[in-house]
Amino acid sequence: MSRDWHRAPLSGLYLDRENGWLFGVCAGMADRFDIDLNVLRLVVLAGAIFVTMPTVVAYGLAAWLLQDRPLQPRDPAHERAFWRAKRDGGGY
């Protein structure tokens, strides 16, 4: 029996290594706070350039302390609708 997993919205702050460049800190924060990822990356980069040590320390602590985003099982109704559409020859 295989399980299909996806990333479900969560309420906590996690690392999102799948969408992140380095450790997934910015991707996790952008997802949690509903911020554009590229804007957040630019803010962190500017902070690393102009306020070097505090930004680097904060990023490093977040990468070390935060956990990876847990996988959540897909909704069975969503799976049935997907496979029903495939069977009937339609797209999803």
Side-chain angles (χ1 to χ4, degrees):
M1 176 180 194
S2 70
R3 289 188 178 143
D4 191 14
W5 299 90
H6 78 294
R7 304 257 182 208
L10 301 171
S11 61
L13 186 59
Y14 296 95
L15 298 176
D16 186 0
R17 295 182 191 268
E18 185 176 308
N19 298 312
W21 282 351
L22 191 56
F23 293 106
V25 174
C26 289
M29 288 178 62
D31 184 48
R32 169 63 175 98
F33 297 112
D34 197 28
I35 303 170
D36 183 61
L37 177 57
N38 291 323
V39 171
L40 184 60
R41 284 177 175 154
L42 287 174
V43 168
V44 171
L45 181 62
I49 291 171
F50 296 112
V51 192
T52 306
M53 191 52 83
T55 304
V56 171
V57 169
Y59 188 92
L61 282 173
W64 183 53
L65 294 175
L66 294 177
Q67 296 178 355
D68 287 339
R69 186 173 183 174
L71 295 172
Q72 303 291 325
R74 284 189 187 249
D75 177 31
H78 176 270
E79 291 294 314
R80 283 192 299 275
F82 173 80
W83 290 111
R84 188 176 307 116
K86 284 286 204 184
R87 181 193 67 208
D88 295 340
Y92 182 71

